[in-house]
Amino acid sequence: MGVGMPRRLYALGFMLIAYVLFAVFGNNKREEKNVPVGMKLLTKPPILRYVLYAGGCMMLIFAAVIIAVAFLYGAELAVVVVAGLIFSGIGGLFFLSGRYCYASHIFFGEERIVIGRFFDKPDILTWDEIGKAEIQKKRVKLWDKKGNKKIDAYADMVGFEEFQNLVRNKCKDLL
């Protein structure tokens, strides 16, 4: 087995876990169920979230393997506990990052915009509260009247074209 083969196997396992999670939990099914009536969804691609969840799963698997190997070779208990805590903590950070990707969705409609926040209540804006808008080919930025940036949407987001067209219609005088 060559030097690059373990890396390829790791990458294959990582992507396999990500795609299994994606296949099981679906393509934004949970977000689409929560969309308020008359509104549409603007969110990051779901595969990004599942890649982060897969990273968390891999770290938990690494923690289990490291703990098992350490016990088999008679390592001290403190070393085993510290290694397990480190890998479990890194896995937890991956899961939190995936949760952030889920929580940062945006619902938009003709009257208002609902911006999801991580561990916080959503921020609700009406179109009248928008103070500045900037539309580029692959990016849309919106600020409130106080000058705080509220939305930074990119072309790779699900629902971007609809959002961009709505911003063009609603913020004609701000462009």
Side-chain angles (χ1 to χ4, degrees):
M1 188 171 351
V3 176
M5 188 58 126
R7 285 188 216 142
R8 289 187 189 117
L9 289 174
Y10 172 73
L12 180 66
F14 183 77
M15 291 311 292
L16 182 66
I17 290 173
Y19 281 110
V20 165
L21 289 171
F22 182 72
V24 170
F25 295 108
N27 188 5
N28 286 333
K29 289 178 187 172
R30 185 169 44 160
E31 289 95 335
E32 289 172 357
K33 281 193 255 179
N34 296 329
V35 175
V37 177
M39 299 187 92
K40 296 182 181 179
L41 178 67
L42 176 69
T43 187
K44 293 179 174 120
I47 191 66
L48 174 65
R49 184 172 72 240
Y50 294 118
V51 165
L52 290 168
Y53 289 155
C57 290
M58 292 297 278
M59 287 298 120
L60 294 178
I61 291 169
F62 281 155
V65 168
I66 293 294
I67 289 171
V69 169
F71 273 131
L72 286 175
Y73 286 100
E76 292 184 30
L77 183 62
V79 172
V80 173
V81 169
V82 168
L85 286 175
I86 288 171
F87 282 113
S88 298
I90 293 170
L93 289 175
F94 274 107
F95 284 116
L96 279 176
S97 298
R99 173 71 177 136
Y100 173 77
C101 286
Y102 169 71
S104 62
H105 57 268
I106 298 169
F107 300 128
F108 62 95
E110 292 292 325
E111 293 92 30
R112 62 190 169 123
I113 305 169
V114 180
I115 305 166
R117 298 284 181 219
F118 189 52
F119 293 131
D120 202 1
K121 292 182 180 181
D123 193 6
I124 300 173
L125 288 172
T126 62
W127 288 102
D128 297 332
E129 295 173 350
I130 303 296
K132 180 182 173 188
E134 183 180 309
I135 297 179
Q136 299 169 357
K137 187 176 183 178
K138 295 185 176 188
R139 194 171 183 178
V140 173
K141 296 181 193 176
L142 297 178
W143 290 266
D144 63 7
K145 293 194 179 202
K146 296 177 184 175
N148 299 323
K149 186 175 9 176
K150 292 296 184 174
I151 297 175
D152 196 359
Y154 295 92
D156 65 340
M157 296 176 85
V158 175
F160 176 78
E161 290 85 18
E162 296 169 331
F163 181 69
Q164 187 179 36
N165 292 333
L166 189 60
V167 171
R168 277 195 181 110
N169 292 335
K170 292 289 188 177
C171 301
K172 289 178 187 176
D173 54 336
L174 300 174
L175 298 175

